[in-house]
Amino acid sequence: NDSLRLASDWLFDSQLQGELHARGHVGVEDVQNNTTIYGDTLARFAKGNYLLVPKRPLLLYIDSSQVRDSTGKVNTKFDTMFVRADTMRIYQGDSARFVAIDSVRVYRSNFSMTGGKLIYDQIHDVMTVFHSPRQHVWNDSTEIDADSVAMLMKEHHMNRLFAVGHAFSTSPMEELPNTGRVDQLEGENMMLIVEHDTAKQLYDMSNALSIYFMLSDDKPDGVNRASGDTIRMDFKEHKVIRLAVISGTEGEYFPERFVTGRAKAFRLTAYERHDNLRPRREEFVVPWDEKEKMRDKR
């Protein structure tokens, strides 16, 4: 129809009952929102004005933007966001929203996320993730964990991220990889400011604690442990370039001679980092391709 394109092996459509059912290699494209959902089965209910896709569906959102290269030429850049979950619902109309339920995994070029339940309010461009013991978000090399996460979107790109409840952030030092030097923030709530898909500032609010590894003339120069009402980290080219403690400041500095070879000893109590949980591009394949791969392994 005008808003949806659907393909499947089998289709049942009853206008009298207000229901549509499809199964077998199902693919449905929302023309207006540039999204496509794949699954083994699908149901559409006119009364509730929503689509239901059970059994580990896969959603693709294809985004494009105009980027000017070094010569001044404007090129079209495509970036696809992938979402997986146990079940998905897509509501249309005045309350248009997308809901992913259980084992939610999201992947984009420099952004990924895991959580229990995801709700994307298309009208207000707000995404919330909750309903899991911890929600995990990665932006470039920065990882943020919290009880729940809310994101304010701008043209389908994250603009502000709010981590609420026992928030914890880690950012490995890119200047000294594989040394165990990881900048850390801990607090009740955090706010990450993102511009053009790149992290700019991270605010740690309420009972803020930090571990910040220092550099001097591009050489390691010890570590600073600080606490305060609010702590702010500034990023440039994916690196932490400044840390500021605002109000109620307390801290201590450890010279480099105490840090060399012992960087992993400088951890906040709630330290946690989960690179093994981070979604990878190769896991986002259409359901029938996934089944074929499982058969090949057997």
Side-chain angles (χ1 to χ4, degrees):
N1 58 30
D2 292 339
S3 60
L4 297 175
R5 297 192 184 108
L6 185 146
S8 64
D9 296 339
W10 178 90
L11 177 69
F12 169 81
D13 186 11
S14 172
Q15 294 184 0
L16 181 62
Q17 296 179 6
E19 294 184 10
L20 178 150
H21 298 270
R23 68 168 181 256
H25 302 85
V26 178
V28 58
E29 178 187 1
D30 188 323
V31 179
Q32 296 176 344
N33 295 317
N34 295 326
T35 58
T36 303
I37 296 180
Y38 298 99
D40 291 327
T41 59
L42 174 145
R44 185 184 187 193
F45 302 95
K47 186 175 181 180
N49 202 16
Y50 73 92
L51 291 170
L52 172 65
V53 189
K55 298 182 180 179
R56 291 184 58 78
L58 171 68
L59 178 141
L60 281 67
Y61 170 73
I62 301 175
D63 187 26
S64 63
S65 58
Q66 301 298 309
V67 179
R68 191 180 300 275
D69 61 20
S70 57
T71 65
K73 182 181 178 181
V74 177
N75 300 305
T76 301
K77 177 184 177 183
F78 292 95
D79 187 14
T80 302
M81 182 174 70
F82 302 85
V83 183
R84 295 206 66 163
D86 289 346
T87 303
M88 290 184 187
R89 290 190 178 192
I90 302 93
Y91 293 85
Q92 299 171 305
D94 295 337
S95 59
R97 64 191 187 278
F98 163 74
V99 182
I101 304 169
D102 292 335
S103 304
V104 175
R105 299 178 70 77
V106 179
Y107 175 86
R108 199 165 186 163
S109 56
N110 61 344
F111 171 83
S112 51
M113 176 172 58
T114 66
K117 184 175 182 179
L118 181 151
I119 300 177
Y120 174 44
D121 183 338
Q122 295 176 315
I123 304 298
H124 300 97
D125 225 4
V126 176
M127 185 181 296
T128 54
V129 186
F130 57 100
H131 220 279
S132 181
R134 298 288 281 174
Q135 325 309 315
H136 305 284
V137 177
W138 295 264
N139 191 85
D140 297 321
S141 60
T142 298
E143 177 184 332
I144 299 176
D145 306 323
D147 293 343
S148 61
V149 173
M151 287 167 281
L152 302 182
M153 313 295 285
K154 186 176 182 180
E155 298 177 351
H156 300 286
H157 290 260
M158 182 173 67
N159 182 250
R160 297 285 188 276
L161 181 146
F162 299 90
V164 180
H166 305 93
F168 198 95
S169 169
T170 53
S171 298
M173 286 191 71
E174 294 192 358
E175 300 90 340
L176 299 168
N178 304 316
T179 61
R181 296 178 187 243
V182 181
D183 296 326
Q184 305 154 52
L185 279 179
E186 177 186 348
E188 276 303 305
N189 305 302
M190 291 184 186
M191 179 178 68
L192 178 68
I193 299 176
V194 179
E195 296 178 5
H196 305 294
D197 294 328
T198 302
K200 292 297 183 181
Q201 286 118 25
L202 177 61
Y203 290 86
D204 183 2
M205 299 165 285
S206 182
N207 301 319
L209 298 171
S210 73
I211 292 285
Y212 179 55
F213 288 88
M214 312 289 287
L215 285 175
S216 179
D217 297 326
D218 296 326
K219 296 181 180 179
D221 190 23
V223 63
N224 187 50
R225 179 188 174 102
S227 63
D229 295 336
T230 299
I231 295 178
R232 168 180 165 174
M233 274 188 176
D234 292 349
F235 298 88
K236 185 177 182 180
E237 297 179 351
H238 314 303
K239 301 174 185 177
V240 179
I241 60 170
R242 187 179 72 166
L243 182 142
V245 184
I246 305 169
S247 183
T249 304
E250 293 184 9
E252 53 185 333
Y253 168 74
F254 297 89
E256 181 59 29
R257 66 178 182 274
F258 295 107
V259 183
T260 303
R262 300 181 62 250
K264 292 183 179 180
F266 294 90
R267 296 286 191 260
L268 295 173
T269 304
Y271 180 86
E272 51 181 276
R273 187 166 174 86
H274 309 89
D275 289 324
N276 60 314
L277 299 180
R278 187 169 187 169
R280 311 294 177 185
R281 168 63 185 90
E282 55 269 19
E283 68 185 78
F284 295 88
V285 296
V286 295
W288 43 90
D289 284 348
E290 187 176 36
K291 288 182 179 180
E292 290 175 2
K293 287 184 179 181
M294 294 298 293
R295 282 197 296 267
D296 292 341
K297 288 181 180 180
R298 295 194 191 102

